[in-house]
Amino acid sequence: MKESSVFNPGLFSLNHFFKLIIMKRLLTAAAVTLYSLSNAQIKQGTAYISGEINYNTYKNNDQYTKQQIFKVIPTAGIFIAPNLAVGTGLGYTHTKLDYTQAIYNGPYITFIDYAGKTNAVTVAPFVRKYWTLSEKLYFFGQLQVPMEFGKLRQDAFVTDVYEPTGYVSYQTLSNERRHTAIGINVKPGLDYFLNKNWSVEATIGEFGYRSLLHKDADELNIKDYNFGINLSAISFSVKYVFAK
């Protein structure tokens, strides 16, 4: 004997009612999320300051080499539209390299004590686009045009020894040359706001192009080009935001 299925209008209405409630809550949650993300956009006219201070030293006792690099680049930016900023960095870089080298050529030995110093001013205008990931977290892409203007001072004390006779001669060499570098690079990054005034940002990787022009004491120009990607270029900085 077959059982007949009985349509229960009350049960149908109850299921439909629950479905309407769930759909309404989902739509409300989606609307709240979209509203929060739209409000999380960084407003036009918002200004900020940041900067980079680095000191690196490298020493190799086996090769009698020591290098020191000091860099300070303060940065300022302003949002010209929601989530779109422009700005520039203006800084100073000092590099010092010292090494001692021995060159053997038959009965001759040449000892070189080298000291080089570079001082340069850096100007780096940029444009940065933000995408909102959450109320406090943003992803950004930055296009930067760094320019560097500097001078390299090189000094070397050279000692030549002729072993068969023990003859020794000395000479001091000095040279100065100016350089100008310009490049274009693209950096992706993340920016996390601790509160309305402070954020921590990290850039991950770098893709770009750099052109370097040397001009020596004889006014001869030497050009050097570099184009590539550096996935190990990771930097962190703290930013102060003048919240509106």
Side-chain angles (χ1 to χ4, degrees):
M1 181 176 181
K2 293 183 180 180
E3 293 184 0
S4 59
S5 59
V6 180
F7 174 71
N8 189 336
L11 182 60
F12 173 78
S13 299
L14 188 61
N15 289 338
H16 184 65
F17 175 71
F18 282 133
K19 287 181 180 179
L20 288 176
I21 291 178
I22 294 172
M23 186 175 294
K24 183 178 180 180
R25 288 183 177 179
L26 290 175
L27 290 174
T28 301
V32 171
T33 301
L34 290 174
Y35 178 76
S36 299
L37 292 178
S38 64
N39 283 342
Q41 287 190 338
I42 304 174
K43 297 179 181 179
Q44 180 179 349
T46 300
Y48 69 87
I49 55 174
S50 182
E52 176 184 353
I53 299 177
N54 273 325
Y55 176 76
N56 295 317
T57 181
Y58 168 79
K59 190 173 184 179
N60 189 324
N61 292 326
D62 294 333
Q63 298 180 358
Y64 305 101
T65 300
K66 183 179 180 180
Q67 185 179 40
Q68 297 171 295
I69 301 175
F70 172 74
K71 179 187 295 185
V72 53
I73 304 179
T75 301
I78 187 169
F79 284 80
I80 58 174
N83 281 6
L84 180 64
V86 297
T88 189
L90 177 62
Y92 166 77
T93 302
H94 173 76
T95 303
K96 183 179 180 181
L97 174 63
D98 299 288
Y99 69 81
T100 300
Q101 183 179 16
I103 302 175
Y104 295 87
N105 184 17
Y108 294 93
I109 305 176
T110 300
F111 298 94
I112 302 175
D113 291 313
Y114 172 86
K117 295 181 181 179
T118 301
N119 294 291
V121 174
T122 301
V123 181
F126 64 86
V127 59
R128 179 182 287 190
K129 173 62 179 176
Y130 281 79
W131 288 271
T132 306
L133 299 180
S134 70
E135 187 176 354
K136 293 185 177 182
L137 182 63
Y138 299 83
F139 172 81
F140 65 81
Q142 176 175 288
L143 175 65
Q144 189 177 51
V145 184
M147 294 170 281
E148 184 177 287
F149 310 93
K151 180 184 289 187
L152 170 63
R153 169 76 183 187
Q154 297 172 303
D155 296 293
F157 182 73
V158 181
T159 304
D160 292 306
V161 179
Y162 183 61
E163 286 191 302
T165 62
Y167 174 78
V168 180
S169 66
Y170 306 95
Q171 61 177 322
T172 301
L173 305 174
S174 296
N175 181 46
E176 272 193 2
R177 61 181 183 181
R178 291 170 286 137
H179 73 269
T180 301
I182 184 169
I184 298 176
N185 59 51
V186 177
K187 297 181 180 181
L190 294 171
D191 199 347
Y192 181 78
F193 277 73
L194 303 173
N195 53 47
K196 69 176 184 178
N197 294 114
W198 292 99
S199 78
V200 179
E201 66 179 42
T203 59
I204 307 164
E206 181 177 270
F207 174 77
Y209 162 84
R210 187 171 188 259
S211 171
L212 180 64
L213 174 64
H214 290 288
K215 182 171 287 189
D216 62 18
D218 297 324
E219 296 298 316
L220 296 176
N221 293 331
I222 304 170
K223 293 183 179 181
D224 181 28
Y225 301 96
N226 185 24
F227 181 80
I229 185 169
N230 183 5
L231 296 177
S232 64
I234 300 175
S235 66
F236 297 90
S237 63
V238 177
K239 184 162 79 267
Y240 181 80
V241 181
F242 299 92
K244 298 193 70 177

